[in-house]
């Protein structure tokens, strides 16, 4: 293997500006792997900071956490991965704090420290090479494209929410929003045996949902609550997943739920924060559950890898046709932040 002395990576240096920087490559430790990263998808958190809407992390940000690549070197304590294995990025965690030992790795006490690289902060998904703890990568099937495998993290976050919903086969579920995360929610609910109707206002996203085989409703043209009632034999949905950060969507979701014991999953965030829009009395008298979800733990990453590896969900329609090389990362952010876009992939090598 050719010696790699420096890594090149994309980073945000200010609102609306992404650049490519370099830093020396460290030594691979006993419990680490060196990954030649192939593609990284730009997620909502990435491009909203590029837009200046999530600047609380400061700059420079070496972000990107939806990435995949090939193991090209491993430490001597790595036993379940080999050089040449195709992997995707999962969460960092220490494995020894009280949260990690109880299966709550997303709350790891030192998790944030893994994202500190000198003056840079972030997951380094937009790096051409990066050294990662063996615990933070998961093996993927070679028949997936790098862009598809890079969906491991967003699929894991969806699995976390679906598990919190305690979804049962044949339950009627509404997904509000047919963007990337809305579509993954709809696909995962279907994979777990639920019946899905997708509500979406944008024509191209409605078309994506239809092509994927989902019943759809356009609330700009039809009474979405009435359509849901028709879909559920006038009983209302067992669950509604709100995959857009919008107060009106939250209000509408409560109206779509069945009269008693409905579950509402608040999947999406936004800035400024949307409101739930319902009262405590609504929750009380209807025995309604309002469920929040965020991040994922190791068990969800493993479950997500199975969904992708055995093709129980198909994320190909959620990848934009235009791909950008690392040197053009600023242009990639421009496209990713355009209304109606799905995931835009950054190619980290030209070979």
């Amino acid at each position: 293997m050719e010696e790699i002395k420096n890594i090149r990576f994309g980073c945000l240096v200010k609102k609306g500006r992404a650049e490519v920087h370099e830093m020396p490559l460290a030594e691979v430790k006993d419990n680490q792997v060196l990954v030649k990263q192939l593609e990284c998808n730009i997620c909502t958190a990435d491009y909203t900071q590029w837009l200046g809407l999530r600047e609380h992390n400061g700059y420079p940000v070496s972000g990107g956490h939806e990435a995949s690549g090939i193991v090209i070197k491993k430490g001597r304590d790595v036993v379940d991965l080999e050089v040449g294995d195709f992997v995707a990025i999962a969460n960092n965690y220490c494995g020894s704090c009280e949260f990690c030992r109880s299966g709550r790795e997303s709350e790891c006490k030192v998790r944030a420290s893994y994202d500190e690289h000198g003056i840079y902060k972030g997951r380094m998904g937009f790096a051409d090479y990066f050294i990662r703890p063996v615990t933070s990568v998961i093996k993927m099937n070679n028949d997936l494209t790098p862009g598809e495998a890079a969906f491991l993290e967003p699929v894991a976050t969806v699995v976390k929410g679906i598990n919190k919903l305690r979804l049962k086969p044949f339950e009627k579920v509404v997904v509000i929003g047919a963007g990337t995360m809305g579509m993954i929610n709809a696909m995962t609910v279907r994979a777990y045996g639920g019946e899905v109707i997708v509500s979406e206002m944008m024509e191209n996203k409605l078309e994506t949902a239809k092509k994927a085989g989902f019943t759809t409703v356009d609330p700009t043209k039809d009474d979405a609550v009435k359509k849901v009632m028709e879909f559920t034999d006038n009983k209302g949905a067992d669950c509604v997943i709100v995959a857009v950060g919008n107060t009106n969507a939250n209000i509408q979701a409560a109206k779509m739920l069945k009269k008693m014991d409905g579950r509402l999953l608040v999947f999406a965030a936004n800035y400024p924060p949307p409101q739930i829009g319902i009262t405590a009395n609504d929750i009380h008298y209807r025995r309604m559950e309002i469920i929040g979800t965020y991040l994922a733990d190791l068990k969800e990453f493993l479950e997500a890898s199975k969904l992708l590896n055995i093709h129980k969900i198909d994320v190909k329609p959620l990848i934009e046709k235009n791909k950008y090389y690392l040197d053009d990362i600023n242009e990639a952010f421009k496209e990713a932040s355009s209304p109606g876009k799905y995931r835009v992939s950054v190619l980290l090598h030209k070979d």
Side-chain angles (χ1 to χ4, degrees), residues 65-66 150-159 180-181 184 267 343:
H65 55 267
E66 298 182 9
F151 271 79
L152 176 67
E153 189 272 347
V155 174
T157 65
V158 167
V159 171
T180 301
M181 301 313 299
I184 296 174
F267 187 87
R343 287 299 194 254

Side-chain angles (χ1 to χ4, degrees), residues 56-334:
H56 54 278
N57 291 324
Y59 297 102
V61 175
S62 52
H65 55 267
E66 298 182 9
S68 66
I70 304 294
V71 175
I72 60 172
K73 188 175 183 180
K74 69 173 191 171
R76 65 179 183 180
D77 292 342
V78 176
V79 296
D80 59 349
L81 286 176
E82 300 295 336
V83 171
D85 280 348
F86 182 39
V87 296
I89 295 175
N91 278 349
N92 291 314
Y93 64 94
C94 71
S96 59
C97 73
E98 61 178 308
F99 297 111
C100 288
R101 286 185 286 124
S102 62
R104 297 156 61 191
E105 295 88 357
S106 59
E107 300 174 66
C108 173
K109 286 186 174 181
V110 299
R111 179 174 177 262
S113 66
Y114 290 98
D115 294 340
E116 297 175 357
H117 321 283
I119 65 170
Y120 302 98
K121 291 184 178 181
R123 296 297 307 280
M124 283 285 185
F126 295 120
D128 56 359
Y129 297 91
F130 202 66
I131 295 171
R132 299 194 178 276
V134 66
T135 52
S136 72
V137 296
I138 291 179
K139 188 174 179 179
M140 306 300 289
N141 279 356
N142 290 326
D143 61 355
L144 295 170
T145 67
E148 290 173 299
F151 271 79
L152 176 67
E153 189 272 347
V155 174
T157 65
V158 167
V159 171
K160 165 66 80 175
I162 301 302
N163 286 343
K164 293 192 73 176
L165 269 179
R166 310 182 309 281
L167 183 71
K168 299 175 183 176
F170 314 118
E171 284 195 309
K172 305 273 189 173
V173 181
V174 180
V175 176
I176 299 180
T180 301
M181 301 313 299
M183 287 299 298
I184 296 174
N185 268 285
M187 292 174 181
T188 304
V189 168
R190 183 168 62 186
Y192 289 3
E195 298 182 34
V196 187
I197 182 171
V198 176
S199 176
E200 173 58 54
M201 296 167 54
M202 297 186 71
E203 187 60 38
N204 72 304
K205 292 182 177 179
L206 271 171
E207 192 60 30
T208 298
K210 290 175 183 177
K211 287 181 178 178
F214 294 107
T215 300
T216 62
V217 56
D218 180 352
T220 67
K221 298 178 180 178
D222 295 301
D223 184 330
V225 175
K226 183 178 179 181
K227 286 288 185 181
V228 168
M229 290 303 159
E230 293 173 0
F231 180 72
T232 60
D233 299 322
N234 290 316
K235 295 176 182 177
D238 296 294
C239 313
V240 178
I241 300 172
V242 187
V244 293
N246 182 279
T247 299
N248 288 334
N250 291 333
I251 295 171
Q252 189 178 72
K255 295 177 180 178
M256 293 172 169
L257 280 174
K258 61 187 181 182
K259 183 178 180 180
M260 304 290 282
D261 298 315
R263 288 110 70 199
L264 192 160
L265 181 67
V266 183
F267 187 87
N270 206 346
Y271 296 87
Q275 302 301 307
I276 292 294
I278 54 179
T279 71
N281 282 2
D282 292 323
I283 298 170
H284 171 72
Y285 286 115
R286 294 177 61 187
R287 298 199 303 245
M288 190 187 302
E289 291 185 57
I290 309 298
I291 302 170
T293 188
Y294 176 56
L295 300 177
D297 297 307
L298 178 59
K299 62 183 179 180
E300 285 92 33
F301 276 96
L302 294 172
E303 203 166 331
S305 69
K306 292 178 182 177
L307 284 169
L308 289 164
N309 284 337
I310 65 175
H311 302 285
K312 288 296 289 183
I313 62 174
D314 179 10
V315 296
K316 286 192 292 294
L318 310 182
I319 303 173
E320 295 291 340
K321 292 181 180 179
N322 289 336
K323 294 176 182 283
Y324 296 83
Y325 287 114
L326 179 57
D327 289 325
D328 301 317
I329 190 169
N330 207 58
E331 295 303 311
F333 272 101
K334 286 182 182 178

